Amino acid sequence: KWILEHPDALIDLQKSYLRAGTNILYAPTFTSNRIKLAEYGLQDEIEKINRELVALSKEAIRKAKAEGWIAEDAKVFVAGDVTMTGRQLEPMGTMTFDELLDVYREQIRYLADAGADLLIIETMMSLQETRAAVIAAKEVCSLAVLATITFETDNRTLYGTNPETAAVVLEALGVAAMGANCSTGPKQMSEVIARMAAVSTVPLIAKPNAGLPKLAQDGSTYYDMQADVFGEEMLHVIRQGASILGGCCGTDDAYIREVTEEVNGKVPLLRRPSGVRYLTSERQTLSFSLDDPFLIVGERINPTGKKKLQEELRNGSFSLVTEFAVQQEEHGASILDVNMGMSGIDEKETMLKALDEIANVTNLPLSLDSSHVDVLEAALRKYPGRALINSISLEKVKFEPLLPMAKKYGAMFILLPLSDEGLPKDLDEKKRIIHTIMDRALELGMSKEDIVVDGLVATVGANKNAALETLETIAYCKSLGLATICGLSNISFGLPERMYVNTAFLTMAIASGLTMAIANPSQRLLVNAAYASDLLLNKEDADVRYIELMNEQKERGETLAVVKKDGLQGGDIKDGAKAAGGQAPGVSAEGGSEQALRLAVLRGKKGEIVEITKQILEGGKKPKQILDELLLPAIQEVGELFDKGTYFLPQLIASAEAMKNSIEYLEPMLLEENTGKEMPTVVIATVEGDIHDIGKNLVALMLKNYGFQVI
């Protein structure tokens, strides 16, 4: 608003940057979104503000050329500048992902209409909010999108995302360039840039501060890195792969001039794609190539044939969903398949809730599995990483909408060689379907690395060549440079002692080049055979992985015996119970409800913790004992996991909220037990809407959990 009342101040400032060598001029629309403008009562002027600020930046370029500050034919672009809103997304906040998309779509539409040459999404602390801005841009305009994220000194964002994950997700979404801004000084930022460069091919942006801020005696903030030092240190980020350079906090036109002079004549680092595939959650990246060790896609989060899971989902409970996620990760799954398809529930709503719940207990990437296109789109839209779609066939109702959807949301997908005619009648038809789907994906701008072909396992009891045909499909796909996957259980349908058939088939498939399989990672015989196959095929580090697995099983007292008790075979998990002497979800064999309470805090089980607390009270434990001996040690364990970098902000908040629910239930009883001693009162505040409000609320919650009176 002030700028619009004093336009010459902005134009003079921007002219100085243009003279210093700026090629991309940011229009000062940084916080010109509806939510931020509402703090000043300016939300109804959003269109005028964005349009006029872009126009002023264009005027600065025109005047700089007319007055000879820069050459008449100089190429300078105006970037519409977009950043975070200050409001938190669900489940940490109250704003839905679609609401955030609406906010970004509105501002970006005005920026595009005003004539911005490109968009810059910057100073983003949340990968999910960055995704929202990129998706919004795709939906309202065709402008190139640049995105830069702010990393903490531990090289993770406030929400726990590392540089590799951010790079994989943003490149898959189709940004024209990406990188980091703010954060630190140039030298410290070079590691972030190097890690992004290792997993990406698009141009990288480095826009660091003039070092880290310092506090003067009078309380003001200053940066002590001089412009010449800043220019010299920018060579560090160039060597690591950055090719778009700028300055953030503490820098001015003198810094840009130094950078321009330092980089003159320098050639950007050449980066080539390596054929490695990447899937991610919000905080962790899984990388694999065609010759890497075999991967397991955990199949357990699927209500088909699981009566207890179906009952829970109908009641709105996700206890078994999270338990299956934890169990499968513990048993070596690299990816988790998530399917919520069943009668009697809203599948879309249940899928979206499941994604939130699973994110609280694991960082593994997910395979999103549904028969309904609208469910898959809703899940892809919300999923805060790079997902695997299970699956896309040549059936018209799936093929036509799902391939563009995979491209839009940057997902990898399983290619299922089925058509409207059903199963392919022979291997040649299967190959034709594979090529048809692959060719269309490549036309849309995807690559072979985005595709995982399902070998389409048939039943050997009905077709004696079923295994041979699948093995040939796997080998053929590998020769094309395509990853492969299969579901194992179909091969043995109708046969006795199916685990032996499944296991033998898996070892043959791995030898033929199988990349991954959808399976139960708790099936010891199956998993051990897979590790042994990798060992015999001399895959990288397979010997160490095999030895470590055997040692882990020995420590847990597991054996290779195939157990035939209560329907268990080879370590199958039944609903609510873990094989090989394990535990039912939420309650350990040792500790009962008390252990369940600890797990409820550790895994942020807000909906279940009150019931567990009641059980412990009924067992004779006093409220103060529950607080002192169970809840406080559990939340301390969460804090230790956070300090180690095992837990991140979302898990920390989920655990604190779960503990709060238990304490609120216990509070009247705790007051009755109180000896009369009052805890101290703490007053805590931050600037309303500031990003640090997250931290303030978390500290307040923790203090309340410890008995302090908090205002």
Side-chain angles (χ1 to χ4, degrees):
K1 185 72 172 176
W2 184 91
I3 291 171
L4 295 179
E5 294 169 356
H6 304 82
D8 289 342
L10 174 70
I11 289 172
D12 289 344
L13 177 67
Q14 291 191 324
K15 281 161 56 180
S16 69
Y17 277 104
L18 292 168
R19 176 179 275 177
T22 287
N23 308 110
I24 300 175
L25 198 61
Y26 286 26
T29 56
F30 184 67
T31 53
S32 299
N33 60 68
R34 177 167 293 277
I35 292 174
K36 280 293 183 184
L37 291 176
E39 296 175 13
Y40 305 94
L42 297 173
Q43 64 272 26
D44 293 335
E45 296 184 48
I46 181 172
E47 180 177 3
K48 174 178 181 286
I49 288 170
N50 280 280
R51 283 182 179 276
E52 292 189 10
L53 290 175
V54 170
L56 280 176
S57 298
K58 286 182 169 288
E59 178 67 8
I61 296 171
R62 190 192 66 76
K63 285 192 172 183
K65 289 182 176 181
E67 296 168 12
W69 289 52
I70 58 175
E72 186 63 37
D73 61 352
K75 288 186 177 179
V76 184
F77 305 98
V78 172
D81 196 350
V82 177
T83 193
M84 293 177 73
T85 66
R87 283 185 59 194
Q88 301 307 308
L89 281 170
E90 293 177 336
M92 293 173 61
T94 57
M95 185 162 55
T96 68
F97 191 73
D98 283 336
E99 286 172 342
L100 181 59
L101 280 170
D102 287 340
V103 170
Y104 282 136
R105 273 194 295 251
E106 180 182 31
Q107 184 188 5
I108 290 169
R109 188 180 294 112
Y110 294 140
L111 291 171
D113 291 347
D117 300 306
L118 53 90
L119 297 170
I120 177 72
I121 299 162
E122 67 157 336
T123 322
M124 302 300 285
M125 301 181 189
S126 160
L127 179 59
Q128 181 69 318
E129 293 188 41
T130 313
R131 287 183 68 254
V134 175
I135 292 168
K138 283 186 170 189
E139 292 180 348
V140 299
C141 71
S142 58
L143 294 180
V145 179
L146 285 61
T148 56
I149 290 179
T150 295
F151 293 89
E152 305 289 312
T153 53
D154 63 354
N155 293 330
R156 286 186 179 270
T157 69
L158 180 67
Y159 293 81
T161 300
N162 59 34
E164 294 87 347
T165 299
V168 168
V169 171
L170 293 176
E171 180 166 357
L173 279 173
V175 297
M178 63 191 175
N181 81 290
C182 204
S183 306
T184 59
K187 189 181 290 186
Q188 293 88 347
M189 187 177 280
S190 63
E191 183 182 342
V192 168
I193 297 301
R195 290 169 64 175
M196 285 186 152
V199 298
S200 64
T201 59
V202 300
L204 292 179
I205 304 166
K207 193 168 172 278
N209 296 335
L212 291 171
K214 292 183 168 58
L215 199 63
Q217 287 187 339
D218 64 0
S220 62
T221 303
Y222 71 99
Y223 294 82
D224 62 0
M225 181 180 287
Q226 299 304 307
D228 58 338
V229 177
F230 183 84
E232 290 172 10
E233 287 204 359
M234 288 299 280
L235 295 175
H236 290 281
V237 294
I238 295 172
R239 292 189 196 106
Q240 300 304 332
S243 56
I244 301 175
L245 310 171
C248 204
C249 303
T251 68
D252 58 21
D253 58 310
Y255 289 73
I256 300 303
R257 185 177 298 108
E258 289 289 342
V259 173
T260 303
E261 292 173 0
E262 281 286 353
V263 304
N264 187 33
K266 298 287 189 302
V267 178
L269 182 73
L270 185 64
R271 290 148 52 218
R272 298 183 185 279
S274 60
V276 177
R277 283 92 170 142
Y278 300 101
L279 290 169
T280 84
S281 61
E282 187 175 11
R283 298 181 287 272
Q284 184 171 297
T285 295
L286 170 70
S287 64
F288 60 95
S289 70
L290 298 186
D291 295 313
D292 277 344
F294 171 77
L295 302 173
I296 294 175
V297 181
E299 68 181 6
R300 297 297 294 159
I301 306 174
N302 186 329
T304 303
K306 301 182 182 74
K307 290 183 179 178
K308 187 172 181 181
L309 179 56
Q310 291 174 9
E311 181 185 345
E312 279 203 358
L313 293 176
R314 287 196 183 97
N315 293 328
S317 171
F318 291 84
S319 175
L320 274 176
V321 168
T322 56
E323 205 60 41
F324 285 154
V326 171
Q327 288 176 351
Q328 290 181 110
E329 181 174 18
E330 288 174 349
H331 283 88
S334 298
I335 304 162
L336 300 178
D337 191 71
V338 181
N339 184 314
M340 293 288 117
M342 57 174 279
S343 63
I345 63 170
D346 182 327
E347 184 182 342
K348 185 189 298 184
E349 182 183 327
T350 307
M351 171 67 88
L352 297 180
K353 179 64 175 172
L355 295 183
D356 286 338
E357 295 289 337
I358 292 167
N360 282 334
V361 297
T362 179
N363 290 326
L364 292 183
L366 302 184
S367 165
L368 304 175
D369 188 357
S370 176
S371 301
H372 302 287
V373 172
D374 64 321
V375 174
L376 280 174
E377 175 155 32
L380 286 168
R381 205 169 177 81
K382 180 168 185 176
Y383 183 66
R386 187 179 194 219
L388 176 65
I389 298 174
N390 186 9
S391 54
I392 301 178
S393 66
L394 197 54
E395 297 163 289
K396 188 175 181 180
V397 293
K398 291 188 175 181
F399 177 66
E400 292 183 356
L402 284 177
L403 274 179
M405 198 183 293
K407 172 63 177 172
K408 176 180 178 178
Y409 295 107
M412 192 180 291
F413 72 93
I414 295 174
L415 187 163
L416 186 65
L418 288 176
S419 68
D420 286 319
E421 282 70 50
L423 289 167
K425 61 180 181 294
D426 54 33
L427 194 57
D428 286 339
E429 185 181 349
K430 188 189 282 189
K431 290 178 180 179
R432 279 197 299 274
I433 294 173
I434 290 169
H435 279 278
T436 301
I437 299 174
M438 178 179 71
D439 291 346
R440 179 58 181 147
L442 298 180
E443 285 174 12
L444 289 170
M446 302 174 79
S447 70
K448 288 184 177 181
E449 285 75 28
D450 297 322
I451 303 169
V452 184
V453 179
D454 192 320
L456 203 61
V457 179
T459 302
V460 74
N463 174 8
K464 293 183 179 180
N465 288 318
L468 297 174
E469 289 170 0
T470 301
L471 296 174
E472 187 173 344
T473 303
I474 291 167
Y476 176 72
C477 289
K478 186 172 183 182
S479 74
L480 294 176
L482 296 170
T484 50
I485 189 171
C486 67
L488 296 173
S489 56
N490 274 0
I491 195 71
S492 62
F493 187 76
L495 295 173
E497 305 294 351
R498 295 176 63 186
M499 183 55 62
Y500 295 116
V501 180
N502 294 349
T503 303
F505 176 62
L506 175 61
T507 60
M508 296 166 74
I510 291 172
S512 297
L514 184 68
T515 312
M516 60 183 75
I518 300 172
N520 179 354
S522 295
Q523 293 173 334
R524 290 294 96 205
L525 184 60
L526 202 71
V527 173
N528 293 351
Y531 275 66
S533 296
D534 284 343
L535 170 69
L536 296 173
L537 291 169
N538 194 27
K539 293 185 178 179
E540 188 174 356
D541 296 328
D543 50 353
V544 175
R545 292 174 73 246
Y546 178 80
I547 293 168
E548 288 177 349
L549 178 69
M550 294 302 108
N551 286 338
E552 287 171 11
Q553 291 181 11
K554 186 176 180 181
E555 287 174 12
R556 290 198 297 258
E558 297 178 0
T559 70
L560 294 180
V562 177
V563 182
K564 289 186 179 179
K565 181 180 180 182
D566 299 328
L568 293 178
Q569 275 203 35
D572 284 341
I573 293 182
K574 293 193 71 176
D575 286 348
K578 187 189 282 187
Q583 64 193 40
V587 184
S588 74
E590 296 179 11
S593 297
E594 294 186 10
Q595 174 68 351
L597 187 66
R598 170 181 166 270
L599 290 175
V601 174
L602 286 176
R603 296 174 185 168
K605 294 186 174 183
K606 294 178 281 188
E608 300 168 33
I609 196 165
V610 172
E611 191 58 40
I612 297 169
T613 304
K614 289 179 183 177
Q615 292 173 12
I616 297 173
L617 283 168
E618 290 167 3
K621 207 91 168 172
K622 293 187 178 297
K624 187 137 189 350
Q625 287 179 303
I626 294 173
L627 177 65
D628 293 343
E629 298 173 15
L630 302 176
L631 291 171
L632 293 180
I635 202 69
Q636 185 172 341
E637 189 176 349
V638 170
E640 290 166 358
L641 290 169
F642 182 76
D643 285 343
K644 292 175 184 174
T646 304
Y647 270 25
F648 301 99
L649 192 62
Q651 290 114 314
L652 192 65
I653 290 177
S655 292
E657 291 285 354
M659 181 169 170
K660 182 185 78 167
N661 288 354
S662 178
I663 288 177
E664 283 179 350
Y665 177 75
L666 292 171
E667 193 168 20
M669 293 169 268
L670 288 168
L671 290 173
E672 289 176 10
E673 286 186 356
N674 200 333
T675 57
K677 178 186 174 185
E678 277 198 20
M679 288 291 282
T681 298
V682 177
V683 179
I684 182 168
T686 55
V687 177
E688 185 178 5
D690 184 77
I691 190 67
H692 300 96
D693 200 49
I694 303 168
K696 181 209 76 175
N697 293 336
L698 184 59
V699 171
L701 183 59
M702 291 292 191
L703 289 169
K704 285 179 182 177
N705 285 352
Y706 276 82
F708 288 86
Q709 310 299 314
V710 181
I711 299 171

